[in-house]
Amino acid sequence: MPHLPETRPIIVCADDFGIAPGVSDAIVELIAAGRLTATSCMTGLPDWRRRAPMLQQVVLRHPADVGLHLTLTDHAPVSRASGLARQEGRLPTLGHLLPRALAGAVRRDAIADELRAQLDAFEDIWGAPPAYVDGHQHVHVLPVVREVLVEELRHRYAPNTVWVRDCVEPSARCLRRRVALPKALFISRLALGLRRLLRDYAVPANDGFAGLHDFSGRRPFGALMQRFLDTSGPRPLLHVHPGRVDATLRACDSLTAPREVELAYLASAQFPRDLAAAGLHPGRFADFPAPPATRMALPAGT
């Protein structure tokens, strides 16, 4: 997608690659069309292995950042997830995980085992580390999870090579946007602990996060996007959920029809016009300078 020199980059990231063929195929099409610059992959789901080679071929021709969408809810774990998964072999619902994490009652070793298994599953297929890590249902910002994540990234990868999604937005920006306001304020406040860790240990991250909404369809998605773009931060990331509904998606996820609405908008001529009107163009993590640390970073392994 062409852009004017005076525009600035925004990462346009599609979550949930690998959840179902209709979602994965739609994401690949949008990357090829220059509408997406990143996608977050659910490496514990079967479609990851089936569709990852296709994604690799597309990003060779249309470069994009490919990351891990850390999944700790609803789906089958990759590891044994002892003490985390339910008896029927499924990860807990967010409603079950959230209060336990806030109380510090989730097992650190179980989180670490599952994170490592999902990173291994990514590297096994991709042949390289993820460009970044974020979380399905934003689980990477939760207490215990965030500490395990930062520690594992520091031990596993060279400094400044793997980014992490920062979900913090200033309250004033959320209030101006007035989209899913309680949800946005809650996630932003919860994410402050992760932001402190990222800055303390010089883990690179975006600064500006948008795309949260209630998927109700009460407002046209294009109007929501204009608000997201007009109130973006200095190093912004916009997360979206495009896809086509298929039987696999219906069987494993409650978010269905709104994905097709997002796909239609992102593929339309209106999306690049809205980006240009907001002074933005699709960019990648490498287009942002690494943020300064608030404290001297400790060497990995300390």
Side-chain angles (χ1 to χ4, degrees):
M1 183 187 302
H3 59 268
L4 299 175
E6 63 270 19
T7 62
R8 59 192 180 89
I10 183 171
I11 297 164
V12 186
C13 178
D15 288 358
D16 299 348
F17 183 92
I19 196 171
V23 172
S24 301
D25 292 350
I27 289 171
V28 165
E29 292 168 15
L30 290 171
I31 291 173
R35 302 303 176 88
L36 296 175
T37 55
T39 187
S40 305
C41 304
M42 302 175 78
T43 63
L45 278 71
D47 203 56
W48 159 248
R49 288 188 172 271
R50 290 193 289 261
R51 291 300 198 276
M54 174 180 64
L55 179 61
Q56 285 180 309
Q57 291 302 311
V58 168
V59 300
L60 284 174
R61 300 189 303 271
H62 308 278
D65 293 321
V66 178
L68 174 69
H69 201 45
L70 176 62
T71 302
L72 298 176
T73 57
D74 296 330
H75 300 281
V78 181
S79 70
R80 291 181 61 189
S82 178
L84 178 64
R86 302 186 309 218
Q87 288 184 350
E88 59 268 33
R90 306 287 291 183
L91 291 163
T93 64
L94 183 62
H96 185 65
L97 178 64
L98 177 59
R100 292 173 62 207
L102 293 177
V106 292
R107 285 180 50 174
R108 186 183 183 94
D109 60 337
I111 298 293
D113 287 348
E114 185 61 21
L115 169 61
R116 290 170 189 146
Q118 292 185 29
L119 286 168
D120 289 345
F122 185 97
E123 295 173 10
D124 181 52
I125 297 296
W126 201 252
Y132 64 94
V133 177
D134 56 34
H136 183 55
Q137 298 183 319
H138 316 292
V139 296
H140 68 302
V141 309
L142 296 177
V144 183
V145 179
R146 62 198 182 204
E147 286 82 7
V148 169
L149 172 61
V150 171
E151 181 178 351
E152 180 64 21
L153 294 183
R154 290 178 55 244
H155 280 75
R156 190 173 181 122
Y157 303 117
N160 296 317
T161 56
V162 177
W163 290 59
V164 172
R165 178 185 290 179
D166 184 345
C167 298
V168 173
E169 278 282 81
S171 297
R173 195 179 298 153
C174 296
L175 289 167
R176 287 200 306 274
R177 192 176 291 152
R178 300 199 70 80
V179 176
L181 186 57
K183 179 180 179 180
L185 291 172
F186 177 72
I187 290 174
S188 184
R189 183 172 181 81
L190 194 58
L192 285 170
L194 175 61
R195 169 174 279 190
R196 285 191 290 268
L197 287 171
L198 298 177
R199 292 186 173 181
D200 284 350
Y201 298 113
V203 178
N206 55 290
D207 185 0
F209 175 65
L212 289 169
H213 63 105
D214 61 9
F215 302 104
S216 67
R218 287 191 294 266
R219 282 189 263 183
F221 186 66
L224 294 179
M225 284 290 291
Q226 289 169 4
R227 291 196 178 196
F228 296 146
L229 298 175
D230 288 342
T231 55
S232 58
R235 298 145 45 87
L237 183 148
L238 170 70
H239 80 301
V240 292
H241 296 81
R244 296 187 182 89
V245 178
D246 56 23
T248 303
L249 182 65
R250 290 192 190 95
C252 73
D253 196 70
S254 60
L255 180 56
T256 53
R259 294 181 188 269
E260 296 196 341
V261 174
E262 295 198 19
L263 171 61
Y265 169 80
L266 292 167
S268 74
Q270 185 62 44
F271 179 44
R273 289 199 294 266
D274 288 342
L275 282 170
L280 299 165
H281 67 265
R284 298 176 61 192
F285 283 99
D287 296 328
F288 298 146
T294 57
R295 218 164 56 202
M296 182 173 292
L298 300 178
T302 59

